Structures are given as structure tokens and as C-alpha cells.
Amino acid sequence: MERVIALVDMDCFYVQVEQRLQPEYKGKPCAVVQYKKWKGGSIIAVGYEARACGVNRNMWGDEAKKLCPDIHFFRVPEVRGKADLTKFRDAGKEVINVLSRFSNCVERASIDEAYIDLTEEVKRRMDKRAQKELLQNTHIVGFDKEGRLEGLESWLDSVYEGDDFNNIQDKKLAVGALISEEMRAAVYEETGFRCSAGIAHNKMLAKLSCGINKPNKQTVLPYGSVQGLFSTLPVRKIRNLGGKLGESLVEELNVEFIGDLVKFPLTELQNNFGDKTGEQLMKSQWFPHHNEKSADIGEYEEF
DNA sequence: CATGGCCTGGAA
DNA sequence: TTCCAGGC
Ligand SMILES: Nc1ccn([C@H]2C[C@H](O)[C@@H](COP(=O)(O)OP(=O)(O)OP(=O)(O)O)O2)c(=O)n1
Ligand SMILES: [Mg+2]
Ligand SMILES: [Mg+2]
């Protein structure tokens, strides 16, 4: 009996926080910088209009200005020479407060994202079919080749066709997506911030799918689409494999994609990367920190 | 100085 | 407890 987990991540969060304070900059290319003296300051967040010009984090303010002459920089306030992030933290709490109404199991994962265990709420709402009209911002991994709506329709139709185990799990995701649309609408209504979400059966997959359609969209990752996705997904895209460990996996095992890991027996993974790490790799249990207040600790088989 | 500041989890 | 890896 699979859980339904949503990961909500705010879009260009610090930029949105500043734009809410100064709405005249909404819709314009913006970035947030700290310390203006050296090369125009370092950029820590970039709005989507500025990303379209090629501006990214890890760029100096002066470089960004070359790519995007109209860009507006919001400056992080400094207190005794240090950047003061208080207003962003407070804004993050506002979002958590809204999300907390939708589940008693919400896990703050960073300043701008949280995992929400929707399993219980989904159970209560399984009697109603998820309608595509209520999933206007939802994409389904593996079903969007001919367009978002076409894919959504054909997925919903096939999911509600039968009642075997996989159909039932997918129905849970569909209902989870419905709740997630409501959650994201509530966040926007009550805070003015836009966000994206991923809906899947565990935290790692929810986090992964959230990033597939950004900004202001949400993405469902059914189990049936995981193999296809993993078969071309670079190892470093999985949370916690973005650094040296991921690099060493690629080199020592001569693999490129996360799906290639299924070929290796547990003992080989453990010999190369240690007992604990090998086991985590095997189970793909690369969940971020899970704390006590979260029931979101669990295994899932395969992969 | 030249991303920086800050957070969490696991190993040492 | 401190240090390092990984991440926002
Ligand atoms: N190296 C980093 C990464 C992020 N942040 C801050 C600024 C971001 O606004 C916020 C959230 O980080 P995200 O990775 O979620 O990025 P954004 O929210 O800015 O953009 P996206 O729309 O891609 O989520 O954390 C930071 O200070 N330093
Ligand atoms: Mg974000
Ligand atoms: Mg984030």
C-alpha cells in the first residue's frame, strides 16, 4: 500500500518574496544579489524572465547585466556586514502554514520546499474520480509526448479502466494530484507566491518530478513511468548523488544513468561504496532527512 | 577573500 | 564534538 507524497518547491523564491514587496517588478527580469561591491554582487536567485536571457546563479551581477541589460537587482539587506535572510525565512513559514492545513504530516525540507504526506487525505477521497478539468496544471511523466492534456486524458482513462494493484496506486496519485492543485491554489491565494509540485509514491521521486515542469506546474510520476525516466536520467540528478559520490559511481561502475544501477548486485555496491551506502543505493532510499514528526520513512522495492 | 550564508546528517 | 558532503 503505497504512500502519496507531494513535494512543493517555490518558484524562484527569493525573487518572488521581493516582487511581492515591490509589485511593480512583477513580470520583469529580476534577480536577488548579495554584496554589490565585487563585480556587482553575487546572484543567489534568478527570476524566470531573466533565466530566459541566460542568467543563472553562480554569476556575478555584472555578468548578468551584460546578458540582460534590463535586469533589476534586489539587494539582500546586510546586518553588521552579513547578509540578512530573515524576510525569506518568514515567507517560507507562511507557505508551510498553508500546507499544514492539508495534512498532519508536513516536513519542511528547506527554506522554500516541503514534503506533504497526502496518503490519508487521498484515502478519504478515493470514491470520486479525478477530473481532468481540475488538473489544469498537471503533467504526467511518460504521457506528454503529444501534449499535456492529451497525455493526462489518456493516462486517466487507462488508470480508471481497471482495478488491479497498479491501477489503484495510480488512482491514488491522481487524487493526490487533485489535492496538490488545491494546495498550490491555496498557497497562491493566501501568500501570493507561485510554486511547483511533484506527486509520487516516495520523497525521492516526488522531488525528482517536481523539477520536470517548472514554474507554476505540477508533475505526477507513476511507477509505470519510472523505468523509462531512469533509463536516460543522469546519476547526478538524484538527490544526494549530485556530488562526489555520484561522480565516483559513474566512474567506478562505468554507468551513466541511474537506471543502470539495477544491473549491480548488492554485494558489489557495498564493496565499492560501503555497507550502508550500498544498501541505500540498492533500495534507492536516498531520502532527505526525515525527522520524528514525519511518518514519511519507508522502503519501496525495486530499482 | 572572490559566490556566500546557512542547514542537516553521517563519519571521524 | 568537529569535520565533511550535499543541498537550498
Ligand atoms: N545555492 C543556493 C541555492 C538557493 N538559495 C536560495 C535562493 C532561492 O530562491 C532559494 C530556493 O532555492 P531553489 O533551489 O528552490 O531555487 P529557486 O526557488 O530560486 O528557483 P526554482 O524555481 O528553480 O525552484 O534558496 C541560495 O541561497 N543558495
Ligand atoms: Mg525553489
Ligand atoms: Mg528549493
Side-chain angles (χ1 to χ4, degrees):
Chain A
M1 294 301 105
E2 301 290 348
R3 296 166 299 158
V4 177
I5 307 293
L7 181 275
V8 168
D9 184 293
M10 310 310 293
D11 300 326
C12 56
F13 187 48
Y14 288 11
V15 170
Q16 284 201 86
V17 171
E18 296 290 359
Q19 285 173 328
R20 189 176 70 170
L21 289 166
Q22 291 174 257
E24 61 268 32
Y25 291 108
K26 282 184 184 172
K28 304 208 166 111
C30 296
V32 175
V33 295
Q34 55 188 6
Y35 313 121
K36 211 81 187 62
K37 308 241 136 167
W38 182 264
K39 300 186 175 183
S42 59
I43 295 177
I44 55 175
V46 185
Y48 281 79
E49 293 82 0
R51 291 184 203 192
C53 316
V55 177
N56 58 51
R57 205 177 353 248
N58 313 324
M59 220 175 225
W60 296 109
D62 291 345
E63 301 173 56
K65 197 90 190 172
K66 280 180 209 152
L67 285 173
C68 185
D70 293 334
I71 194 169
H72 174 78
F73 293 124
F74 298 105
R75 288 186 61 175
V76 177
E78 287 168 44
V79 176
R80 287 185 298 277
K82 289 248 176 178
D84 176 31
L85 306 176
T86 308
K87 72 170 111 168
F88 307 114
R89 293 209 184 89
D90 291 346
K93 284 178 206 155
E94 283 181 52
V95 174
I96 298 282
N97 285 341
V98 177
L99 297 176
S100 298
R101 291 209 316 272
F102 290 81
S103 168
N104 54 16
C105 185
V106 173
E107 182 183 341
R108 183 180 178 275
S110 83
I111 197 164
D112 89 322
E113 66 208 67
Y115 293 90
I116 305 99
D117 190 328
L118 296 175
T119 310
E120 290 306 312
E121 183 64 13
V122 164
K123 264 184 202 159
R124 278 178 233 121
R125 294 175 55 166
M126 281 295 280
D127 52 316
K128 261 197 191 155
R129 177 177 166 140
Q131 300 291 327
K132 64 173 186 286
E133 292 78 12
L134 299 175
L135 295 169
Q136 306 249 5
N137 300 291
T138 302
H139 293 253
I140 315 295
V141 174
F143 288 79
D144 51 3
K145 292 213 172 64
E146 273 128 49
R148 186 200 69 86
L149 184 58
E150 291 76 4
L152 176 64
E153 282 173 340
S154 76
W155 181 68
L156 284 174
D157 286 346
S158 70
V159 163
Y160 280 95
E161 214 161 65
D163 247 333
D164 61 19
F165 179 81
N166 285 313
N167 284 102
I168 293 172
Q169 303 318 310
D170 280 4
K171 280 179 209 175
K172 291 183 187 172
L173 293 182
V175 173
L178 211 62
I179 298 167
S180 180
E181 290 265 13
E182 294 168 8
M183 253 183 343
R184 292 176 45 252
V187 167
Y188 182 63
E189 284 286 306
E190 294 169 41
T191 69
F193 299 139
R194 304 230 196 242
C195 61
S196 301
I199 300 100
H201 290 306
N202 66 45
K203 296 205 288 189
M204 179 201 65
L205 295 177
K207 170 70 183 167
L208 179 63
S209 49
C210 178
I212 295 176
N213 293 285
K214 249 182 175 285
N216 201 26
K217 290 282 178 292
Q218 60 178 51
T219 307
V220 174
L221 177 47
Y223 267 147
S225 297
V226 172
Q227 272 209 326
L229 179 66
F230 277 17
S231 69
T232 59
L233 190 78
V235 170
R236 65 172 181 282
K237 300 292 180 190
I238 300 290
R239 200 186 205 264
N240 290 339
L241 299 183
K244 294 178 183 178
L245 176 60
E247 244 180 83
S248 66
L249 268 173
V250 168
E251 284 191 9
E252 291 174 39
L253 299 180
N254 220 17
V255 297
E256 191 176 357
F257 307 120
I258 191 70
D260 299 336
L261 284 187
V262 299
K263 294 198 288 266
F264 296 92
L266 175 63
T267 49
E268 180 167 357
L269 294 176
Q270 288 183 324
N271 285 339
N272 283 284
F273 306 99
D275 285 6
K276 215 179 162 93
T277 304
E279 196 162 343
Q280 285 173 316
L281 285 172
M282 196 66 198
K283 292 183 174 174
S284 282
Q285 271 195 208
W286 283 96
F287 303 136
H289 54 284
H290 36 64
N291 57 27
E292 314 75 42
K293 70 175 190 256
S294 172
D296 189 9
I297 306 168
E299 303 92 76
Y300 77 110
E301 56 282 10
E302 290 166 70
F303 314 117

